[in-house]
Amino acid sequence: MNVIDLHCDTASLLLESNEVLKKNSLKVDIERLQQGEVMAQFFAMYIDSKKVESPFEYCVSMLDNFKKELQINSNTISLCQNHNDLILAQKEHKMGAFLTIEEGEAIEGNLDKLRYFKEQGISLITLTWNHENSLGYSNFEWQDQHKGLKKKGFEVVEEMNTLKMLIDVSHLSDAGFEDVISHSKVPIIATHSNSRTMTHHPRNLSDKMLKTLANKGGITGINFFNNFLVEGELKDKLQISTLDEMLRHIKHIRDVAGIEVLGLGSDFDGIPNPVEIEDCSEFYKLSDKLLTNGFSTDDVEKIFYGNSLRVIKDVL
């Protein structure tokens, strides 16, 4: 079955190590993407703004490094910026690579830098990571959930709409989520977020948020991080993320907000714990689990790629 995975952190690990994209010791590489029948992978340029001198410069270096990897492997994977690019890649029997930024501070509050990244192939930006930045507030701490977008954040939402870029609210505060979804003229996306009712964590989406997201044509990608999946407290940080926990979240989100709001956002190479889906070659384990638990083939196709394809077409 085709797969569109909305989030992995492989690009940052490639920059910081001697690994390459074709075959590596990480969770995502081209050989395993092919085995997993991945139609498109969203590759995040992840930045911890507290650990780098210039988020912009660091992001540029990561992006340059990753685009070199794409060029080296251009016979099997193609940079995509919209629906037409992905359809062309499929016709050429290639996977699509969508490039994203995980931390809006990469633009350092400058709309010209936002436009630069669009020109360089970035299709999506996660407005915040785990820290407050020039655009708004993170959902990393419960205490910041009532703080919304800053003035520059509203400007960025408007410009991203104009540039036809996807806005990702996965790490954004609840108030920031409301600001974005009420201000954006096109559907928005939570690339790697689960259900807060199923796992009470500030990074997950409340039922109200899921319903609003669905009503506006957006999607959320199921995240494989154990901390966002387990029921109750983690036994330990390396507790395995199971298919049963993923199924629990997917069923609830479907029941609350409908099948059309669901996608996949593995967070591979960004999470420390083992996962029953060991790497990007094993997405089939989740499709098998869904098919044996009351989901139709049509349902699973929507979750695995159909809903994401719709948003790509609508926005990009």
Side-chain angles (χ1 to χ4, degrees), residues 123-189:
S123 296
L124 173 152
I125 295 180
T126 311
L127 296 185
T128 58
W129 185 58
N130 284 350
H131 315 297
E132 174 191 351
N133 65 19
S134 59
L135 309 183
Y137 294 85
S138 166
N139 57 16
F140 186 68
E141 301 285 351
W142 287 108
Q143 65 200 36
D144 290 334
Q145 293 286 31
H146 68 287
K147 300 175 183 177
L149 289 183
K150 298 179 180 179
K151 181 176 182 293
K152 185 60 67 174
F154 284 105
E155 293 175 8
V156 165
V157 167
E158 291 178 6
E159 187 63 17
M160 288 181 72
N161 280 178
T162 300
L163 294 171
K164 299 186 186 301
M165 299 177 77
L166 277 163
I167 300 168
D168 178 22
V169 295
S170 279
H171 284 272
L172 195 62
S173 66
D174 287 8
F177 172 95
E178 295 297 335
D179 284 341
V180 172
I181 206 160
S182 61
H183 202 69
S184 176
K185 296 179 176 65
V186 297
I188 66 169
I189 185 170

Side-chain angles (χ1 to χ4, degrees), residues 8-25:
C8 76
D9 286 309
T10 311
S12 60
L13 296 184
L14 294 183
L15 180 67
E16 300 294 342
S17 68
N18 292 318
E19 301 279 10
V20 295
L21 186 58
K22 184 175 182 180
K23 185 175 183 177
N24 58 49
S25 64

Side-chain angles (χ1 to χ4, degrees), residues 33-240:
L33 287 168
Q34 291 174 317
Q35 292 168 21
E37 299 183 345
V38 175
M39 174 195 300
Q41 177 68 57
F42 281 58
F43 291 94
M45 309 298 124
Y46 155 72
I47 305 144
D48 184 341
S49 60
K50 302 292 187 184
K51 294 184 178 180
V52 296
E53 188 171 334
S54 167
F56 174 77
E57 294 296 340
Y58 183 77
C59 191
V60 169
S61 64
M62 195 185 330
L63 183 58
D64 288 347
N65 181 70
F66 193 77
K67 287 171 75 174
K68 286 176 185 175
E69 288 294 319
L70 291 180
Q71 185 59 42
I72 290 168
N73 296 284
S74 59
N75 61 320
T76 54
I77 192 166
S78 179
L79 171 61
C80 294
Q81 291 183 265
N82 53 50
H83 183 262
N84 289 340
D85 289 347
L86 182 54
I87 297 305
L88 179 60
Q90 285 189 290
K91 287 179 179 177
E92 296 176 346
H93 306 290
K94 298 179 183 181
M95 288 174 292
F98 286 88
L99 307 186
T100 80
I101 293 173
E102 187 176 23
E103 171 53 91
E105 197 56 30
I107 69 169
E108 298 177 347
N110 187 321
L111 294 182
D112 285 337
K113 289 179 179 177
L114 173 62
R115 297 177 192 112
Y116 168 83
F117 281 127
K118 168 66 175 180
E119 292 169 359
Q120 293 301 309
I122 296 293
S123 296
L124 173 152
I125 295 180
T126 311
L127 296 185
T128 58
W129 185 58
N130 284 350
H131 315 297
E132 174 191 351
N133 65 19
S134 59
L135 309 183
Y137 294 85
S138 166
N139 57 16
F140 186 68
E141 301 285 351
W142 287 108
Q143 65 200 36
D144 290 334
Q145 293 286 31
H146 68 287
K147 300 175 183 177
L149 289 183
K150 298 179 180 179
K151 181 176 182 293
K152 185 60 67 174
F154 284 105
E155 293 175 8
V156 165
V157 167
E158 291 178 6
E159 187 63 17
M160 288 181 72
N161 280 178
T162 300
L163 294 171
K164 299 186 186 301
M165 299 177 77
L166 277 163
I167 300 168
D168 178 22
V169 295
S170 279
H171 284 272
L172 195 62
S173 66
D174 287 8
F177 172 95
E178 295 297 335
D179 284 341
V180 172
I181 206 160
S182 61
H183 202 69
S184 176
K185 296 179 176 65
V186 297
I188 66 169
I189 185 170
T191 55
H192 55 306
S193 297
N194 298 337
S195 161
R196 192 177 295 170
T197 298
M198 293 292 97
T199 301
H200 192 64
H201 193 287
R203 265 283 282 108
N204 286 338
L205 302 175
S206 69
D207 288 353
K208 178 185 176 185
M209 295 162 79
L210 287 165
K211 290 174 185 176
T212 305
L213 188 65
N215 289 339
K216 293 294 185 79
I219 53 174
T220 186
I222 293 298
N223 189 322
F224 297 171
F225 185 32
N226 57 14
N227 214 16
F228 307 156
L229 279 173
V230 298
E231 190 170 5
E233 294 294 322
L234 274 181
K235 295 172 185 173
D236 62 70
K237 290 183 178 179
L238 292 180
Q239 183 176 335
I240 189 168

